[in-house]
Amino acid sequence: MTTFPRLGAKGDICPYYPPSGEKLRSQFLPDEIANPHIRFPTLAANIRARRGRKVEINVPVFKDVNTSLPFRDPTVNYDLHNWPEDDDVRNGAAKDDHIYMDAMAFGMGSCCLQITFQAKNITEGRKLYDQLSPLGPIMLALTAATPIYKGFLADTDVRWNQISAAVDDRTPEELGEKLLKNNRWRIPKSRYASNSTYISQDPRLRPEYMDPNLIVDEAVKSRLITGGMDSLLATHFAHLFIRDPIVVFAEDLLSLDLTKTDHFENLQSTNWQHMRFKPPPASNDIGWRVEFRPMEIQMTDFENAAFAIFIVLVTRAILSFDLNFYIPITKTTENMETAHIRDAVLKEKFFFRKDPLPSRPVRVSATSTGASTAAGGASPSSGSTTPATSISRPPSPSASFGPVEEEYTPMTINEIINGSSSAEGTSPSKNSTATSSFFPGLIPLVESYLNSVNVDVETRCDLARYLDLIRKRASGEWKTGARWIREFVQRHEEYRGDSVVGEEVCFDLIRKVEEIGREGLGRMI
């Protein structure tokens, strides 16, 4: 599970330790819950010190039939006076109709599924970083598994914004709450957030895709360019360097060792974006790597394997077919917010590029409903994998690029994953000005890639099982973990329809999840 459902609820830690310790200063969690390595309590303390207050995590509560309205988190103690930061709740930190949490552990204590890709060189690494970025919100919603916080049902399904708030070290000036006086910038995002840059030297990368409100340290950027770095990559790192280091070991300040990259890694590793571009460490031939970070942990090994393998296969299709998923970064940011909405995988639409195919011919196979007949493959009901007719696009020189708004449109996750054969459901209702008559779908693109390489029958059958899970999760035939957990709670005989996940409900939920993990996905379906 992503989080323990009653983390922070009174009496739910065994052995018991009292909250409100010196390091976390949390109303709900004891210091003993944090990793004892000096890095972690120091992170928590320095984030709090830089903010000038505790972190504020407010998650919308799920309003069920008997939920008290307005909902005021009954676990908040407004009369606690152990630390100066205890004034936070008296100053409005805990919002009505929200579940309130106040410590880094509520976010960074979450589990997730991250995949690190080894690129063959820096060029390939930069390309993967860019092309995977728009997929982040899609995979976040598809793996949704976090509907409970602190013993209450939440009106969101994923963890991302909670972690973002849990390590948000921005000052009131940087948040825009006060005029700039002591700080240099108003910073739109937490240091744990969605990407804000593209870095590939791909000729298809248009200036209009970039974040118009990107904050960079111009002095750092100028120095990097003077040192030989190109402008795109210099902009990326100059953006990361607007942050202060939040943990520095004293011995690292005694002397500057230019053969080491410890200071760089210190800042790089505390910029937690949904993609991470990882240069090789000094004196190491590990090469250029890219992290794909948004996915939620799943209940079963099979699910985790399916999502890990799927995203790896997507990278192979991207590189083999030279796919183009570019959309404006601001739309990816908006998609990340959409991914938090309850049942977003079924009910919401996400901005996505209408035509990912290059100008050269690509053979696309189709197995998914909607994509099959459009691609010239098998009928939706056949379930077979049949190579489709070649799909090609006429070459378009950059001078003939049309408005960026015509390149993307709102799509359902089912359309993005399994493909669409008509404009139905893709009307330009969210600032898009054209409809799409065909989108191949990520799974058909992956299957087209598999058709193009020598894969033995046994391996192909194993891969088909994994892809089938992704296909059915996207179509709604199989539930997300978040939906399954929410329904389990609501059906439990001890649940009172008041949004409260009590001890008995939590115990039975954990026991059932353990059973599913042990015996397999069939126990969940």
Side-chain angles (χ1 to χ4, degrees):
M1 299 185 75
T2 311
T3 62
F4 178 66
R6 286 179 56 82
L7 180 67
K10 188 174 181 179
D12 270 51
I13 294 178
C14 185
Y16 173 78
Y17 293 97
S20 195
E22 180 180 6
K23 295 180 176 64
L24 297 185
R25 303 192 181 185
S26 169
Q27 283 203 14
F28 314 107
L29 297 175
D31 286 352
E32 287 79 4
I33 202 170
N35 188 308
H37 188 283
I38 189 62
R39 170 181 170 86
F40 298 99
T42 304
L43 270 172
N46 287 355
I47 289 171
R48 187 175 63 247
R50 193 178 188 284
R51 282 178 57 87
R53 53 192 172 183
K54 290 191 289 187
V55 295
E56 295 177 10
I57 311 168
N58 283 283
V59 185
V61 71
F62 173 68
K63 297 175 182 178
D64 212 337
V65 291
N66 295 322
T67 304
S68 299
L69 298 178
F71 174 86
R72 294 188 173 95
D73 191 333
T75 66
V76 176
N77 183 355
Y78 290 91
D79 296 320
L80 191 65
H81 294 274
N82 291 344
W83 307 103
E85 294 88 349
D86 292 332
D87 285 339
D88 290 357
V89 293
R90 290 182 283 275
N91 293 329
K95 296 179 171 57
D96 284 356
D97 296 325
H98 287 72
I99 307 158
Y100 170 70
M101 294 165 283
D102 65 352
M104 179 179 171
F106 283 109
M108 284 302 197
S110 304
C111 298
C112 66
L113 180 63
Q114 293 181 0
I115 311 295
T116 300
F117 300 101
Q118 179 75 60
K120 68 180 181 181
N121 52 38
I122 184 174
T123 301
E124 184 175 284
R126 292 170 73 165
K127 181 172 186 174
L128 286 176
Y129 178 92
D130 280 14
Q131 294 302 326
L132 288 173
S133 182
L135 301 181
I138 311 307
M139 300 308 295
L140 177 60
L142 200 59
T143 57
T146 320
I148 305 175
Y149 277 98
K150 216 177 66 176
F152 299 101
L153 283 174
D155 203 31
T156 58
D157 273 1
V158 299
R159 79 199 187 285
W160 190 266
N161 282 348
Q162 284 67 267
I163 308 178
S164 177
V167 293
D168 191 353
D169 69 335
R170 289 176 295 171
T171 67
E173 291 181 19
E174 290 169 337
L175 286 164
E177 297 173 354
K178 296 181 179 180
L179 295 176
L180 287 175
K181 180 179 179 182
N182 300 309
N183 297 116
R184 301 170 66 186
W185 305 285
R186 182 186 180 280
I187 303 177
K189 296 180 181 179
S190 165
R191 63 196 302 150
Y192 193 113
S194 59
N195 282 19
S196 295
T197 58
Y198 286 130
I199 62 175
S200 176
Q201 293 175 305
D202 190 325
R204 301 171 299 184
L205 175 57
R206 301 175 61 174
E208 296 95 325
Y209 300 152
M210 310 303 279
D211 187 347
N213 300 312
L214 184 70
I215 307 297
V216 300
D217 189 321
E218 293 293 346
V220 170
K221 180 179 176 179
S222 176
R223 186 168 182 180
L224 291 173
I225 292 174
T226 300
M229 188 177 289
D230 63 85
S231 180
L232 275 173
L233 205 54
T235 298
H236 170 76
F237 287 117
H239 170 64
L240 300 186
F241 273 61
I242 67 173
R243 311 289 179 175
D244 286 343
I246 46 178
V247 174
V248 178
F249 293 104
E251 56 269 26
D252 291 337
L253 298 177
L254 298 178
S255 62
L256 180 61
D257 187 347
L258 294 179
T259 67
K260 296 182 178 180
T261 56
D262 292 356
H263 291 296
F264 166 74
E265 293 294 347
N266 185 12
L267 275 168
Q268 162 93 336
S269 66
T270 54
N271 272 275
W272 297 282
Q273 298 183 348
H274 83 271
M275 296 292 303
R276 180 177 283 159
F277 182 66
K278 303 183 73 171
S283 305
N284 194 310
D285 61 358
I286 194 172
W288 300 85
R289 293 155 295 149
V290 174
E291 281 184 10
F292 187 77
R293 302 168 49 83
M295 293 189 291
E296 308 239 297
I297 199 73
Q298 304 295 288
M299 295 184 208
T300 67
D301 292 343
F302 182 81
E303 291 170 282
N304 288 313
F307 283 106
I309 288 170
F310 175 65
I311 201 67
V312 169
L313 291 174
V314 169
T315 67
R316 299 308 94 186
I318 288 170
L319 296 174
S320 296
F321 299 149
D322 197 26
L323 299 177
N324 177 10
F325 293 124
Y326 276 125
I327 61 172
I329 283 175
T330 54
K331 295 304 175 185
T332 297
T333 301
E334 191 171 334
N335 283 348
M336 286 293 281
E337 294 302 312
T338 301
H340 286 73
I341 297 173
R342 180 162 43 90
D343 286 330
V345 68
L346 299 179
K347 299 178 180 179
E348 300 301 320
K349 292 185 179 181
F350 296 76
F351 295 109
F352 210 74
R353 190 176 186 88
K354 293 188 285 186
D355 180 8
L357 301 173
S359 57
R360 60 185 173 82
V362 175
R363 295 183 65 82
V364 180
S365 67
T367 62
S368 302
T369 301
S372 301
T373 54
S379 66
S381 61
S382 70
S384 64
T385 302
T386 305
T389 56
S390 294
I391 298 173
S392 63
R393 308 295 182 206
S396 300
S398 58
S400 66
F401 282 157
V404 166
E405 292 78 12
E406 293 184 359
E407 297 180 351
Y408 60 88
T409 192
M411 298 186 196
T412 65
I413 286 185
N414 187 41
E415 290 168 335
I416 294 168
I417 297 296
N418 293 322
S420 64
S421 60
S422 70
E424 181 180 356
T426 58
S427 59
S429 58
K430 291 187 179 180
N431 301 323
S432 180
T433 59
T435 59
S436 172
S437 60
F438 168 75
F439 182 78
L442 297 183
I443 286 181
L445 287 168
V446 163
E447 290 181 328
S448 184
Y449 162 73
L450 292 173
N451 287 342
S452 71
V453 295
N454 186 20
V455 180
D456 63 84
V457 174
E458 184 177 358
T459 300
R460 189 64 187 267
C461 288
D462 288 339
L463 293 176
R465 293 174 60 235
Y466 292 131
L467 293 177
D468 195 47
L469 183 147
I470 308 297
R471 179 182 293 110
K472 291 178 178 177
R473 178 71 66 83
S475 70
E477 185 176 347
W478 287 358
K479 301 171 185 177
T480 63
R483 187 179 179 195
W484 182 89
I485 290 170
R486 191 183 303 277
E487 290 181 356
F488 180 93
V489 170
Q490 290 182 296
R491 289 195 305 264
H492 196 282
E493 60 183 9
E494 294 297 326
Y495 178 67
R496 301 293 180 245
D498 55 1
S499 309
V500 176
V501 182
E503 291 183 32
E504 297 87 350
V505 179
C506 182
F507 179 83
D508 289 343
L509 171 62
I510 297 296
R511 186 169 59 181
K512 184 64 175 179
V513 169
E514 183 184 27
E515 177 186 319
I516 291 169
R518 184 175 60 250
E519 299 185 13
L521 192 60
R523 302 291 295 180
M524 176 179 172
I525 298 170

